[in-house]
Amino acid sequence: MKIYVTSVFVDDQQKALDFYTEMLGFTKKHDIPVGGARWLTVVSPEDPEGTELLLEPDGHPAVGPYKKALVADGIPATSFQVTDVQAEYERLRGLGVTFTQEPMEAGPVTTAVFDDTCGNLIQIVTPA
């Protein structure tokens, strides 16, 4: 068994697609109209056949309070591995991305956390 699709709830799918592709560098994989929304996924260009990230609409009534509680407590919605957190932190800051946690070592990993502009905190991680 392996993870095929995982998701983050986003408040605006187009804004999320722009952020996740133009800022983070992911590639659009699927964009299929589904009712009033889209089955919209992105993948890493380093692994185009790998796990897809679904940019899922956050319209369900339970999602808003869930997202707000996570952000209020500083809990990331998901985590992405990068080869160098410090370099990625500097690259993303240069693009205007807002970080809520600067790079820090936490045992065997280095992490940083940023705002994805769609209602989520996202963690980047470099394993030791």
Side-chain angles (χ1 to χ4, degrees), residues 17 26 28 32-33 49-50 71-72 77 90 98 103 107-109 119 122-123 125:
L17 178 62
F26 290 117
K28 183 170 65 175
I32 302 166
E49 300 306 316
V71 170
E90 291 170 11
T98 301
V109 298
I122 304 295
Q123 183 180 59
V125 177

Side-chain angles (χ1 to χ4, degrees), residues 84-121:
D84 182 339
V85 165
Q86 184 67 42
E88 194 64 17
Y89 168 80
E90 291 170 11
R91 183 187 79 80
L92 291 172
R93 280 200 55 182
L95 293 172
V97 173
T98 301
F99 277 79
T100 60
Q101 177 204 303
E102 295 183 4
M104 63 174 264
E105 292 184 15
V109 298
T110 302
T111 67
V113 178
F114 61 86
D115 179 343
D116 77 349
T117 73
C118 302
N120 302 293
L121 299 178

